[in-house]
Amino acid sequence: MTSAIRVPPVVLLPGTGSDEVFVRAVFERPLRALGVPLIAPPPPPGAALADGYLATLDALADEHGELLVGGISFGAHLAAEWAVRNPGRCGGLMAALPAWNGAPGPAPASLAATLTADLVARHGVDAALAQTEGSPDWLRAELARAWRRHGDGLAGSLRAAAGRPSPTLAELAALAVPAGIGTCTDDPVHPTKVAAEWAAALPRAALGETTLTALGADRESLGRATVLAFLKALKTR
């Protein structure tokens, strides 16, 4: 007999200025090893980033039923926001590198996105990329690819993310689905403190750790850390 158990797809969203190419590099093989189908939609353009992604999640839930949702950085924020709004349609959360709780305030990721948006608007993408000198080569290459792909919409999408609140810890505390939270312990832009706060607030969550150094050598290291944390959370009640 063949199994009729349905595995819900996981929909994963990228961080601001990134795209589905990076999401697949991080998560596709770790999820495939578990037989979990991945849906990685491309980013809506410009200022439509957040509302466009939330509408995409609504449409995919209408099509597929219950979803696992998640993402990287701002993509994780949006996925959690959708899950809080739609607890009956969310079967779990995989959130890598959350950057803040509630209002962004002086969060490093928010400040960096605002500064980059201003630089792009005034001087263009190449000038903004020039400011990434000193970053690891893999990160500079990734930014060059993804930022140029966003084109004229880059500044608008960065601003849309920089000012948008993530779910508060109280809202996360009401989300009773298994949740895997992934962090890079050496990432100052996405502090492990924030990831740990998310994991502590969510009733059924576990925290998985890796490093930016590991991510540079192996993109899947962040996906594995997040997916393994989700599997650990599945065992909690």
Side-chain angles (χ1 to χ4, degrees):
M1 293 180 63
T2 58
S3 173
I5 296 174
R6 174 187 172 273
V7 178
V10 57
V11 184
L12 297 179
L13 312 179
T16 318
S18 186
D19 61 12
E20 78 283 4
V21 176
F22 186 67
V23 168
R24 289 193 176 280
V26 171
F27 279 101
E28 190 162 42
R29 286 180 60 182
L31 289 170
R32 185 189 302 153
L34 299 176
V36 178
L38 169 63
I39 299 173
L49 179 72
D51 290 340
Y53 261 141
L54 294 173
T56 295
L57 289 171
D58 284 340
L60 288 170
D62 289 343
E63 178 182 354
H64 296 279
E66 183 180 81
L67 299 175
L68 306 177
V69 298
I72 301 170
S73 187
F74 186 63
H77 294 194
L78 290 176
E81 180 180 335
W82 184 85
V84 166
R85 293 183 186 181
N86 299 272
R89 301 208 286 175
C90 177
L93 178 67
M94 297 184 194
L97 308 182
W100 59 79
N101 308 315
S110 175
L111 296 177
T114 299
L115 290 172
T116 302
D118 291 344
L119 186 58
V120 169
R122 291 172 184 161
H123 302 293
V125 172
D126 287 339
L129 287 170
Q131 298 300 310
T132 66
E133 289 186 13
S135 299
D137 289 345
W138 73 267
L139 180 56
R140 293 188 67 201
E142 176 62 28
L143 293 176
R145 182 194 61 73
W147 285 6
R148 289 194 172 100
R149 183 181 176 195
H150 279 267
D152 293 340
L154 178 60
S157 65
L158 289 167
R159 290 197 176 105
R164 192 177 186 96
S166 79
T168 65
L169 295 180
E171 288 172 327
L172 293 176
L175 187 59
V177 299
I181 312 300
T183 185
C184 290
T185 56
D186 56 350
D187 185 351
V189 178
H190 305 91
T192 292
K193 177 178 182 292
V194 173
E197 288 170 346
W198 277 47
L202 287 153
R204 296 179 60 194
L207 182 66
E209 296 182 351
T210 186
T211 65
L212 284 177
T213 301
L215 182 60
D218 176 11
R219 305 293 178 271
E220 294 170 15
S221 62
L222 179 58
R224 288 194 300 271
T226 307
V227 171
L228 287 172
F230 179 78
L231 294 175
K232 184 177 178 180
L234 279 174
K235 300 177 182 178
T236 65
R237 293 290 177 184

